[in-house]
Amino acid sequence: MQVIYSRNLFLIFIMMVGSMVAQAQFVNLEDTWKEFLANAKTSNILDLQEPNKREQPKDYLKYCLMHMNTNFCAGNLKEAQLMINRIEDMDVALQDQIPNFKEKKEDLKTKLGAAKKAHKVWERFQGGENISLEELDEHKGASKVCEKGTLAKYTYMELRAHYCNGDLEKSQGLFNNRLLKLINNTSLKVTDVDGLETEVEMTKNLFGGLPKLEKAWKKYLDTDKSEGYKDDLPLIECNAIPSIKICILRAAEDVCLYGPQMYKKIQNLQKKNTRSLPSDVKDRLDWLKGELDKSNVELADLEESWTLFKSKHTANEWPELPAVDTVLGDQVKLVDFYCDKIAQTKSWVIKGSLDACAEGQGYLDKIDALKKEHNLEYDKDLACQVLRFRGKVYQCRYWELVLQARKETHEERERFGPESSKIMYGDLNSDKLPCETTVEYEPLGYIGVKYVITAYLCQRINLAKMGDPEYYKKIATWVGTQVLDRYCEKDMRCKEDFFIYLEGHTDGHRFDGRKYDNVIGIPAGTPYTHFVDGDTLKKTVEEEITDRLSGNMDLGLARAWSVKQQLDFMKVPITIGAYEHPEKEKGGEFRRIEIQLNITNLLLDFYEKRLKELVKESGIGDRPPKC
């Protein structure tokens, strides 16, 4: 009896312990699940026992998902996929009963898929294929996974793409600040990723050697002398510019000894190089080619230069002063002397055309003397190029006369402009006028004149009248008799593009608005310029301004519009503007109307007549014909 009783107690004890263990396991799983939802990277399932699939299906699903994440972050993609497969085999309805489960599962599936795709791209990369930034951007999700191997692959392909694009600073930054830190500061080993160890070692050597190469290259550019370059750098074919620089440095040390071999190597490098050569590298490569070509017939170089010259210089007319062609000057390959006289002529045409105004006449004289001395006959092509060159030289001499005519026209304008403005000042000011009117002259372009007539409003003036009509008739009479009649020929071309701009100024006193007896009548849609708070704004009148003004801007426009009505009889285009002075600018000097007379072509006839005289006096003759 005692034995049976003891045995029952033992069984009860065992059952209680089992229940307590199961309860503890449940609590531990729930705590881990909550931690997992909060931060998937920190979940730890090492101490968790796998729940029974049948008896605890929900816990089993949680366990599988956390197990999948842990394996994925540890780089065990196959085990991670196995856990996903287990989950997918379960009833979907169970997943819906677990809060946030499906969202978490889909997120991890997406990241797992991104890692697998990135691995396939890495395999192509390891096979020698260049992966562009555009393609990597399609797999951007791989850069956000917890699996360090995927991060390392993506980062390395990204830094390589930047290197291929020529962004060495970005590439080296990714290598030092992301990839090496990932390798050195985490559990990832460089050997964990197939091919990564070789790539990292190569990239270290590359970035470690670039500063020394750039120092040698800069010294070469500064001194035009090379001491060669003994070291080799790893070659990345998509951006072979560092290797090309090494070849040039070696060739420049002794062109005869190393030049042909290095130039051939550069040609091979350029076949797979996807980057455009920087100007300094291209210039030195051109120099190397030129040095190697010296052993060839110099006429071959000349013919290449001649073809290039003709492709750049095809125009028959030069509306302005021919510019110095520094670009072509760097590209052509010429020598000072050619035995062949036609070749000599071609070289002089090219050299003279590079700076036709400074050196063109000297080369043209040489061409004419050589032709006469040797009784040369040009083919159609050369005859045309010589004729075009002659046209350039003519244009240079012609423009010297243009500049002289402009100078004399400006001198005449500076004599006449201030003098005529003084006359107008005297006519517009009298004892009958309570306020002063000023007249200022300004040059306008090469042949134009601008007069700014400023009528100060020192007293209150009725906007509807805005001055005596005789006042404006004086302005029109003065423009006609004292300005236009003095410089215009019968066809009155000088009046073309003559326009008036009227600007009504209001001072810093605030104008709250007012209704007037007479209609002001500024139509809707009228364009005007508005100056306020330092800004210049182009606007149009939104609604017709009739007999009421609402503020300083309306007042300024009304002042300008009233004067426009007085000057419309002149039959020239008139525009208006309103200028609001800031609050600190108060008083009569800021209440004014500016009448700007812009006579754009006033001295056109004077200028053209003087230029014609200068051309005749110079003896340059007629412009050469076209070909």
Side-chain angles (χ1 to χ4, degrees):
M1 185 67 179
Q2 183 67 31
V3 173
I4 294 174
Y5 179 74
S6 299
R7 183 180 300 169
N8 289 338
L9 287 177
F10 177 75
L11 290 175
I12 293 172
F13 174 77
I14 293 299
M15 291 175 64
M16 291 177 61
V17 170
S19 176
M20 292 172 63
V21 170
Q23 182 67 22
Q25 179 181 329
F26 173 78
V27 173
N28 189 28
L29 187 142
E30 283 303 310
D31 290 343
T32 305
W33 174 252
K34 291 178 181 178
E35 181 183 0
F36 169 70
L37 291 178
N39 185 358
K41 294 181 180 181
T42 64
S43 62
N44 184 357
I45 64 169
L46 293 178
D47 297 329
L48 291 181
Q49 181 178 346
E50 181 176 328
N52 187 283
K53 181 178 181 180
R54 293 179 178 275
E55 297 177 0
Q56 300 170 291
K58 294 181 182 179
D59 289 346
Y60 179 78
L61 286 172
K62 295 176 183 178
Y63 176 86
C64 288
L65 191 60
M66 291 188 290
H67 203 284
M68 177 271 173
N69 178 71
T70 299
N71 279 281
F72 177 46
C73 293
N76 192 346
L77 271 59
K78 290 184 178 180
E79 186 66 22
Q81 183 62 51
L82 179 61
M83 291 297 104
I84 287 293
N85 294 341
R86 287 189 183 183
I87 293 172
E88 299 294 352
D89 289 340
M90 299 283 286
D91 187 356
V92 176
L94 288 172
Q95 300 179 30
D96 293 334
Q97 296 174 21
I98 305 174
N100 301 319
F101 183 90
K102 293 187 71 175
E103 294 85 350
K104 201 71 173 179
K105 181 195 70 172
E106 293 302 322
D107 177 61
L108 288 175
K109 283 179 63 178
T110 299
K111 291 178 178 177
L112 178 60
K116 290 180 178 180
K117 291 178 181 178
H119 178 69
K120 291 182 179 179
V121 177
W122 175 257
E123 289 179 334
R124 288 167 44 212
F125 175 73
Q126 287 292 290
E129 185 176 343
N130 288 325
I131 308 300
S132 68
L133 288 173
E134 290 76 14
E135 181 175 352
L136 286 174
D137 195 53
E138 295 175 3
H139 303 283
K140 195 69 175 178
S143 67
K144 301 176 182 179
V145 302
C146 62
E147 200 276 301
K148 302 178 183 63
T150 299
L151 293 176
K153 295 172 189 176
Y154 187 91
T155 301
Y156 190 82
M157 290 188 290
E158 183 180 11
L159 71 89
R160 173 66 68 85
H162 281 295
Y163 186 87
C164 290
N165 288 349
D167 193 344
L168 273 62
E169 182 179 353
K170 179 72 172 178
S171 178
Q172 190 168 4
L174 287 171
F175 183 70
N176 292 333
N177 300 324
R178 188 177 299 177
L179 184 62
L180 290 184
K181 287 183 178 180
L182 187 64
I183 294 171
N184 298 330
N185 300 336
T186 70
S187 59
L188 178 71
K189 296 179 181 179
V190 72
T191 54
D192 290 343
V193 179
D194 290 340
L196 184 61
E197 183 176 20
T198 301
E199 299 287 359
V200 168
E201 188 64 27
M202 180 272 293
T203 307
K204 283 182 179 179
N205 292 334
L206 176 61
F207 287 136
L210 282 176
K212 181 180 179 181
L213 171 61
E214 291 306 312
K215 183 178 180 181
W217 181 256
K218 183 178 185 303
K219 183 177 181 181
Y220 168 54
L221 295 180
D222 292 341
T223 63
D224 205 28
K225 294 181 180 180
S226 173
E227 299 174 359
Y229 200 79
K230 307 302 180 184
D231 298 339
D232 286 316
L233 282 180
L235 170 63
I236 298 179
E237 292 178 334
C238 62
N239 184 356
I241 292 174
S243 297
I244 292 175
K245 287 182 178 179
I246 290 176
C247 291
I248 294 176
L249 287 171
R250 290 172 178 172
E253 181 184 12
D254 191 331
V255 175
C256 296
L257 185 60
Y258 304 117
Q261 177 187 357
M262 291 298 104
Y263 187 74
K264 185 177 181 180
K265 186 174 181 179
I266 290 172
Q267 286 181 310
N268 290 330
L269 290 170
Q270 286 185 295
K271 291 178 181 178
K272 294 187 177 181
N273 177 56
T274 62
R275 296 298 304 152
S276 298
L277 295 181
S279 59
D280 57 343
V281 176
K282 184 179 182 303
D283 290 344
R284 295 298 167 162
L285 192 56
D286 288 343
W287 164 82
L288 176 57
K289 184 178 185 303
E291 291 297 311
L292 296 176
D293 287 345
K294 282 185 178 180
S295 60
N296 298 325
V297 181
E298 291 176 340
L299 284 175
D301 287 340
L302 173 64
E303 287 306 315
E304 290 180 12
S305 300
W306 183 248
T307 302
L308 179 61
F309 164 76
K310 290 191 295 181
S311 69
K312 302 286 187 180
H313 292 252
T314 59
N316 278 304
E317 296 181 356
W318 303 269
E320 295 186 359
L321 195 65
V324 179
D325 193 342
T326 57
V327 175
L328 184 62
D330 292 337
Q331 295 174 335
V332 296
K333 301 180 290 290
L334 302 173
V335 295
D336 292 333
F337 175 77
Y338 294 90
C339 296
D340 184 86
K341 306 307 177 187
I342 296 297
Q344 185 71 70
T345 301
K346 289 180 178 179
S347 70
W348 284 342
V349 170
I350 295 174
K351 289 182 177 179
S353 296
L354 297 178
D355 192 353
C357 293
E359 301 180 357
Q361 188 61 53
Y363 281 110
L364 188 59
D365 292 342
K366 288 182 179 182
I367 290 171
D368 290 340
L370 188 66
K371 186 176 189 296
K372 182 178 180 180
E373 180 182 353
H374 298 279
N375 195 26
L376 300 177
E377 292 186 5
Y378 303 151
D379 62 20
K380 184 178 180 181
D381 175 55
L382 179 57
C384 181
Q385 294 300 332
V386 171
L387 190 59
R388 287 176 177 173
F389 175 42
R390 199 179 299 279
K392 286 184 182 180
V393 175
Y394 178 92
Q395 185 70 359
C396 290
R397 298 187 64 188
Y398 178 80
W399 261 85
E400 291 178 1
L401 304 178
V402 167
L403 296 176
Q404 178 62 27
R406 285 181 179 178
K407 178 177 178 295
E408 294 183 20
T409 301
H410 179 66
E411 291 172 349
E412 172 66 14
R413 181 172 59 180
E414 289 298 297
R415 180 198 65 76
F416 163 76
E419 178 184 283
S420 59
S421 64
K422 289 180 181 178
I423 295 174
M424 190 62 206
Y425 176 82
D427 289 346
L428 294 178
N429 288 281
S430 67
D431 295 339
K432 297 180 180 180
L433 295 176
C435 310
E436 181 187 21
T437 295
T438 61
V439 183
E440 298 179 356
Y441 147 80
E442 297 177 13
L444 187 62
Y446 293 117
I447 56 176
V449 171
K450 179 179 182 178
Y451 293 100
V452 180
I453 302 173
T454 304
Y456 290 92
L457 308 178
C458 56
Q459 295 182 355
R460 294 184 179 273
I461 296 177
N462 189 326
L463 282 174
K465 296 181 179 180
M466 194 58 73
D468 186 349
E470 294 299 320
Y471 177 90
Y472 300 101
K473 288 182 181 179
K474 285 183 180 180
I475 294 176
T477 301
W478 169 74
V479 170
T481 60
Q482 296 297 320
V483 180
L484 297 178
D485 288 352
R486 294 187 61 172
Y487 292 101
C488 286
E489 299 292 339
K490 293 181 179 180
D491 58 8
M492 294 297 286
R493 286 193 307 158
C494 70
K495 195 176 180 182
E496 293 178 0
D497 299 324
F498 175 19
F499 66 95
I500 298 174
Y501 172 68
L502 304 172
E503 193 170 86
H505 288 242
T506 58
D507 69 358
H509 286 101
R510 180 177 176 181
F511 178 67
D512 293 326
R514 176 181 171 186
K515 184 175 181 181
Y516 293 83
D517 296 334
N518 296 310
V519 175
I520 299 168
I522 306 178
T526 300
Y528 66 94
T529 305
H530 185 199
F531 300 89
V532 61
D533 297 330
D535 293 327
T536 302
L537 308 172
K538 296 294 183 180
K539 298 181 177 180
T540 57
V541 176
E542 295 182 358
E543 296 181 2
E544 180 184 6
I545 299 177
T546 55
D547 58 352
R548 179 176 293 279
L549 303 180
S550 60
N552 289 60
M553 184 190 76
D554 285 2
L555 180 60
L557 286 178
R559 288 172 175 173
W561 186 261
S562 297
V563 174
K564 177 183 181 300
Q565 292 176 314
Q566 297 277 15
L567 293 176
D568 277 339
F569 74 91
M570 294 181 67
K571 305 299 181 183
V572 298
I574 301 177
T575 57
I576 63 172
Y579 194 116
E580 295 185 51
H581 285 271
E583 185 177 357
K584 63 182 180 180
E585 296 179 356
K586 297 177 180 179
E589 62 181 304
F590 302 109
R591 295 192 303 272
R592 62 181 187 264
I593 299 173
E594 290 187 3
I595 305 171
Q596 300 180 12
L597 308 176
N598 300 274
I599 313 175
T600 308
N601 295 316
L602 177 62
L603 282 84
L604 175 62
D605 293 322
F606 178 92
Y607 162 76
E608 289 186 346
K609 185 183 295 184
R610 183 57 186 139
L611 177 59
K612 187 175 181 179
E613 293 172 351
L614 290 171
V615 170
K616 184 177 181 180
E617 294 168 3
S618 69
I620 64 173
D622 295 331
R623 185 181 300 277
K626 301 177 183 179
C627 64

